[in-house]
Amino acid sequence: MDPIHAMRAFVRVVEAGNFTRAADSLDLPKGTVTKQIQALEERVQVKLLNRTTRRVTVTPDGAAYYERAARLLNDFDDLESSMTNAQASPKGRLRVDVGSSTAKLIIIPALQTFCDQYPDIQVDLGVTDRPVDLIGENVDCVIRAGDLQDQSLVARRIGTMPFVTVASPAYIARYGMPQHPSELEKRHHVVGFFASNSRRNYPHEFNKGDERIELAVTYRVSVNESNAHLASVLAGFGISQCVSFQAVPHIEKGELVEVMPEWTRDPLPVHVVYPPNRHLSPKVRAFVDWAAELFAKHPQLQRT
């Protein structure tokens, strides 16, 4: 039994959920895949899968084996690719994690160009605004805005996210247009945004010349996901600061109104971040270069 083939068969069974789909994806007979899994269990002397007539589930030992095996196969594929001419045609499974608004408005609309350019790369696109453990969750790279928290990771800056302070026309008609940030503490409502891991609400920050104001204002609604945040502002729950690439299309349609445009907020740097052991991977390098070019062309992501 080839241990690499058996390991790959096991990983595909876990990911596909049954032997039939796994066999089809590997272009092997179902019986061959079954024999490979049986031989693997005999080799490691651990039951990896629970089988019934309808479904296959992973045992606790099998789940632990899957995490290690998936990572080893990913590294093995990257090693083989780096030793061949795969620099020109990278291949394999690429696990990317992107913030929800970035995925919806920037990455997904353009992703077909990446898939056309690299047809042998299979993209697993995770979409979440929560922090991701790249090593623990076996993610190849993430795109995130803000300061880097883990200095052990490798990062490439690909853009900048400026903010704009906005409200719905209905909200302005009801509460009036504020002229100074301090008014948000008194007669206005805001839409808050809180961190998924700490539940801490981010402050609203305002700059004008040398004057800097930070407000931890009271909110009626606070969310932890960027698309929900924008939807809450559109629904008239209050004033808030949204990234420009989200807000500008709605301003142009008259669905949002810019508030106190003379008061700005420092833009956030945007990075592609990846573990050090992935920096030579052709598929990761291909995605990073593609994302950098995509962000460089976007009018709302390079403003300083």
Side-chain angles (χ1 to χ4, degrees), residues 41-55:
E41 288 180 321
E42 291 176 5
R43 179 186 178 91
V44 299
Q45 297 184 340
V46 170
K47 187 176 184 180
L48 301 174
L49 298 172
N50 290 317
R51 306 163 180 81
T52 67
T53 55
R54 293 187 176 182
R55 59 183 300 190

Side-chain angles (χ1 to χ4, degrees), residues 236-258:
F237 284 108
I239 297 170
S240 200
Q241 294 175 317
C242 299
V243 290
S244 294
F245 75 83
Q246 269 192 300
V248 166
H250 295 281
I251 294 174
E252 293 173 345
K253 295 176 184 177
E255 298 167 344
L256 289 176
V257 177
E258 189 169 3

Side-chain angles (χ1 to χ4, degrees), residues 102 106 145 159-163 243 245 266-270 295 300-301:
T102 303
I106 300 172
T160 300
M161 283 189 183
F163 287 87
V243 290
F245 75 83
D266 290 340
L268 294 176
V270 183
F295 272 61
Q300 301 298 330
L301 294 173

Side-chain angles (χ1 to χ4, degrees), residues 169-189:
Y171 175 88
I172 295 301
R174 182 175 181 181
Y175 293 99
M177 178 71 75
Q179 302 301 315
H180 192 274
S182 61
E183 295 180 39
L184 301 188
E185 295 180 302
K186 302 172 184 177
R187 50 187 294 268
H188 281 279
H189 302 287

Side-chain angles (χ1 to χ4, degrees), residues 121-142:
I121 295 180
Q122 177 186 355
V123 180
D124 289 4
L125 186 65
V127 180
T128 176
D129 285 335
R130 66 172 178 82
V132 173
D133 178 1
L134 277 78
I135 305 299
E137 298 180 43
N138 195 28
V139 175
D140 291 302
C141 63
V142 302

Side-chain angles (χ1 to χ4, degrees), residues 216-229:
V217 291
T218 303
Y219 56 85
R220 286 193 297 178
V221 174
S222 185
V223 299
N224 67 340
E225 193 272 335
S226 53
N227 291 316
H229 178 248

Side-chain angles (χ1 to χ4, degrees), residues 81 85-92 114 117-122 281-287:
S81 295
N85 63 350
Q87 300 291 339
S89 181
K91 60 183 178 179
F114 179 82
Q117 187 174 356
Y118 302 104
D120 295 325
I121 295 180
Q122 177 186 355
S281 167
K283 62 186 179 184
V284 173
R285 186 184 301 115
F287 182 81

